[in-house]
Amino acid sequence: MASSTVAELVRRYDPSLPLEDASTPPAAWYTDPRIAELERRTVFARTWQFAARLDQLGSPGHYVTCEIAGEPILLVRGDDHVLRGFFNVCRHHAAAVMTEAQGCAKNLRCPYHGWTYTLEGQLRSAPEMQAAQDFRIEDVRLPPLRVHEWQGLVFMALDERVPPFEQVYAGIVERIAPIDLASMRYLRRDSYDINCNWKVY
């Protein structure tokens, strides 16, 4: 028997059924890598995603790295105290600029060829590029991403077409008020490998 297409797997679940006739999504939704890829492109890459706790990024130079929808991400507090998000990809040969999960740095330096960026994402030093024709340091910076601080949490959007955070989460503050998220503090990050699609993210 031929394997089902992604479209067929998606159609196996009908969210419009009344509760008495409803069933859970097919098991393939949790294990098929094609479904994981579909979710990466259509859900995780097109919505606001949690990236870090705000108290991890309290002072200039504090940074956090993570992955969102399979993309390497860097959050950093600039010398101007502004929190910024970037793709954690050097503009030279696409190596990760910052390789630790979190830390504090005076600048952002790619370990591959030593390209160095300011905390605001502007290229400051590019070794051995002085003689490169039409290369201007001031024209190079890390690709920026949208960042939103909320209730002590930091969210990011990879797609510029994602609606504003306040629009997407309108009314949620009142619903979760008893939890008091803003009073919580970051302790540590634990990672688990689980044998299902969710481990990709």
Side-chain angles (χ1 to χ4, degrees), residues 21-195:
D21 297 324
S23 62
T24 59
W29 279 32
Y30 303 96
T31 58
D32 192 309
R34 296 171 301 167
I35 295 291
E37 174 59 19
L38 178 66
E39 290 177 331
R40 184 193 69 77
R41 289 185 289 105
T42 62
V43 178
F44 295 101
R46 295 185 185 176
T47 55
W48 287 98
Q49 295 294 315
F50 170 74
R53 287 281 315 182
L54 194 56
D55 53 1
Q56 294 176 265
L57 299 152
S59 302
H62 283 163
Y63 71 88
V64 170
T65 63
C66 64
E67 269 196 18
I68 295 177
E71 299 291 342
I73 304 301
L74 168 63
L75 274 165
V76 62
R77 181 75 65 182
D79 284 323
D80 57 2
H81 295 269
V82 174
L83 183 59
R84 292 178 175 86
F86 304 104
F87 285 106
N88 189 20
V89 178
C90 182
R91 302 310 302 269
H92 189 206
H93 282 297
V97 177
M98 304 304 281
T99 57
E100 298 296 324
Q102 67 180 69
C104 188
K106 293 182 179 179
N107 50 55
L108 308 173
R109 185 176 187 276
C110 176
Y112 190 30
H113 287 111
W115 279 36
T116 304
Y117 303 82
T118 68
L119 298 178
E120 292 71 43
Q122 176 63 53
L123 183 63
R124 184 165 64 190
S125 172
E128 300 182 19
M129 291 295 291
Q130 295 83 355
Q133 203 168 24
D134 299 324
F135 177 80
R136 289 165 27 105
I137 280 182
E138 57 267 33
D139 293 338
V140 182
R141 59 181 303 110
L142 296 175
L145 291 167
R146 291 161 65 197
V147 175
H148 187 83
E149 302 173 23
W150 178 80
Q151 295 281 308
L153 307 175
V154 182
F155 291 82
M156 301 181 72
L158 303 189
D159 192 324
E160 60 184 19
R161 296 167 295 182
V162 175
F165 186 91
E166 296 86 352
Q167 178 182 331
V168 175
Y169 291 100
I172 195 171
V173 173
E174 295 76 18
R175 293 180 65 182
I176 68 164
I179 300 175
D180 194 15
L181 284 175
S183 70
M184 297 182 183
R185 295 292 174 262
Y186 176 80
L187 177 62
R188 68 175 185 265
R189 175 192 292 185
D190 290 325
S191 298
Y192 302 93
D193 288 332
I194 301 173
N195 191 22

